[in-house]
Amino acid sequence: MEKEDMKFQEIFSQYNGEREELIPILQDTQAIYGYLPEQAMRAIARFMRIPQSQVYGVATFFGQFYFSRRGKHAIKVCLGTACHVKGAGRLMEAFEREMGIGCGCITDDYSFSLERVNCVGACAIAPVVMVGEDVYGHVESKRVKEVLDIYAKDS
Ligand code: FES
């Protein structure tokens, strides 16, 4: 059993399977895997004694959950209106070029993934890029490599 799977099994010892525990369980699961793998969703449904469709129903309702593997460092380029006006489209292209992957993809070594988001609530510092929970404002295309290099050391 993988280390992650063992940690995942330990989650269940902290809960009783009550309905209100579903979201914390999903959050704990995502903290381990970085997303919600299908086999984990099955195990959660069994533990909670509810249909798997109900677990997915709750998880998809909230924007915080992911259903496919992401990079260790998830790059999110905001393409909301304020960021778009400030050149976020060109910024996304610069990330795609520098990372060698398209939006919605993950690097071969799983170090980075690239995705678009719509307004992260920081329009005053548009265009905005998030790397995990870190927020970068006024990002110009020429800073893309500099931002990536910060996290490349930790890959
Ligand atoms: S549109 Fe990008 S932060 Fe609001």
Side-chain angles (χ1 to χ4, degrees):
M1 193 183 269
E2 301 265 332
K3 197 171 93 191
E4 290 171 334
D5 296 332
M6 284 176 1
K7 274 176 141 179
F8 171 64
Q9 290 303 325
E10 287 169 18
I11 290 176
F12 297 125
S13 64
Q14 300 159 37
Y15 295 98
N16 301 314
E18 307 290 335
R19 294 286 161 113
E20 65 272 14
E21 295 174 340
L22 179 54
I23 291 173
I25 290 172
L26 292 170
Q27 288 168 330
D28 288 354
T29 304
Q30 184 160 281
I32 291 171
Y33 293 107
Y35 72 109
L36 299 174
E38 194 182 337
Q39 83 276 5
M41 295 294 270
R42 248 195 318 274
I44 292 168
R46 263 198 313 272
F47 175 72
M48 303 289 295
R49 293 192 193 90
I50 56 176
Q52 202 174 330
S53 59
Q54 202 172 327
V55 180
Y56 273 103
V58 170
T60 53
F61 183 77
F62 297 94
Q64 63 178 295
F65 296 114
Y66 297 92
F67 302 95
S68 58
R69 186 167 179 175
R70 299 157 79 219
K72 181 175 180 188
H73 304 292
I75 312 283
K76 295 179 228 169
V77 179
C78 179
L79 291 178
T81 305
C83 289
H84 179 74
V85 168
K86 295 278 187 168
R90 285 190 303 278
L91 188 58
M92 174 62 92
E93 287 168 13
F95 271 101
E96 288 178 331
R97 257 194 319 276
E98 191 64 37
M99 296 169 75
I101 59 172
C103 179
C105 297
I106 186 168
T107 56
D108 288 343
D109 62 359
Y110 299 109
S111 294
F112 291 98
S113 53
L114 181 62
E115 62 196 270
R116 61 176 290 168
V117 288
N118 288 315
C119 193
V120 295
C123 307
I125 56 169
V128 175
V129 172
M130 289 185 71
V131 184
E133 297 304 313
D134 300 337
V135 178
Y136 294 87
H138 304 299
V139 182
E140 296 173 34
S141 297
K142 64 184 180 198
R143 278 187 62 207
V144 164
K145 185 169 172 16
E146 176 194 325
V147 171
L148 289 172
D149 282 349
I150 295 168
Y151 299 90
K153 292 175 196 139
D154 180 35
S155 295

